[in-house]
Amino acid sequence: NEKTDELLVRKRRTKTALGADGQWEYLVGDAPTRMNPEATGISVNASNPMFHRKDTDKHFQWRVRNLPYPSDNYDISIDSEKRQIVIRTKNKKYYKRFGIPELDVIGANLLEGALTWYHANHTLVISYQKPKEVLDEEVKDKMERKKLATQQEDDAQCKQQ
């Protein structure tokens, strides 16, 4: 968002084995949903768990909506070997593994102390504190965006003839 400088969507596209552009992978935010009732008669149930990422200034944050189980049912852990965060429920109704691509880029390991979570209103919120290297990179990106914004504002002024 340009006004609040909040990251709403981050996506990347990789090449396929044959060199063509692959599908978009959404790292932050959700893919736009397109419902065409004429093409498909089947749609996703609204009560299914929905997993998405929404970062804050100091934390990577993921939300899993539609999880009605009590807080003591969840087991959130870190798999250091695969460099992933693992969500399990004791009643075996939900299981999810996911990594943090920004940490993979800088080669940082996941730390148990940086991981926090809570459950409220049928939503499981998992936060992982951003390391200093990632915060520094975000500051650099923010400065570059400000430079681009000021350059665009300067270009918008038309010279009088």
Side-chain angles (χ1 to χ4, degrees):
N1 190 343
E2 290 180 11
K3 293 180 182 176
T4 62
D5 204 33
E6 179 184 7
L7 178 64
L8 300 176
V9 174
R10 177 182 294 143
K11 58 186 179 177
R12 69 177 172 192
R13 180 183 257 182
T14 57
K15 299 281 185 185
T16 62
L18 298 174
D21 287 335
Q23 295 292 323
W24 285 105
E25 177 187 1
Y26 284 80
L27 303 174
V28 176
D30 294 325
T33 57
R34 295 184 185 133
M35 174 68 175
N36 186 357
E38 295 160 1
T40 61
I42 300 173
S43 63
V44 177
N45 190 346
S47 64
N48 282 352
M50 295 173 33
F51 179 85
H52 70 276
R53 179 173 162 181
K54 182 173 171 47
D55 291 352
T56 63
D57 290 340
K58 299 189 183 207
H59 292 89
F60 299 115
Q61 194 172 81
W62 299 268
R63 294 173 184 261
V64 187
R65 298 178 194 268
N66 298 329
L67 287 178
Y69 316 113
S71 294
D72 60 348
N73 193 33
Y74 300 101
D75 178 27
I76 315 309
S77 61
I78 290 179
D79 184 355
S80 299
E81 197 171 292
K82 293 185 179 178
R83 298 168 49 114
Q84 293 179 331
I85 298 173
V86 182
I87 305 171
R88 290 184 183 93
T89 55
K90 292 179 183 171
N91 62 0
K92 300 188 187 230
K93 298 286 185 180
Y94 187 78
Y95 180 83
K96 177 81 174 172
R97 291 178 156 270
F98 58 95
I100 306 174
E102 290 86 352
L103 295 184
D104 292 339
V105 168
I106 64 172
N109 291 325
L110 296 173
L111 304 172
E112 287 281 344
L115 182 69
T116 58
W117 66 274
Y118 66 91
H119 182 266
N121 301 324
H122 294 244
T123 302
L124 179 66
V125 180
I126 302 163
S127 299
Y128 187 87
Q129 188 174 0
K130 293 180 181 178
K132 185 172 179 6
E133 296 89 1
V134 173
L135 291 172
D136 292 342
E137 193 65 34
E138 287 180 356
V139 168
K140 288 178 188 175
D141 290 343
K142 188 181 255 188
M143 296 299 280
E144 287 178 19
R145 283 194 306 271
K146 282 186 180 183
K147 286 179 185 176
L148 287 175
T150 56
Q151 287 175 357
Q152 289 174 354
E153 287 174 8
D154 293 341
D155 293 342
Q157 297 176 357
C158 297
K159 294 181 180 179
Q160 296 281 330
Q161 290 184 352

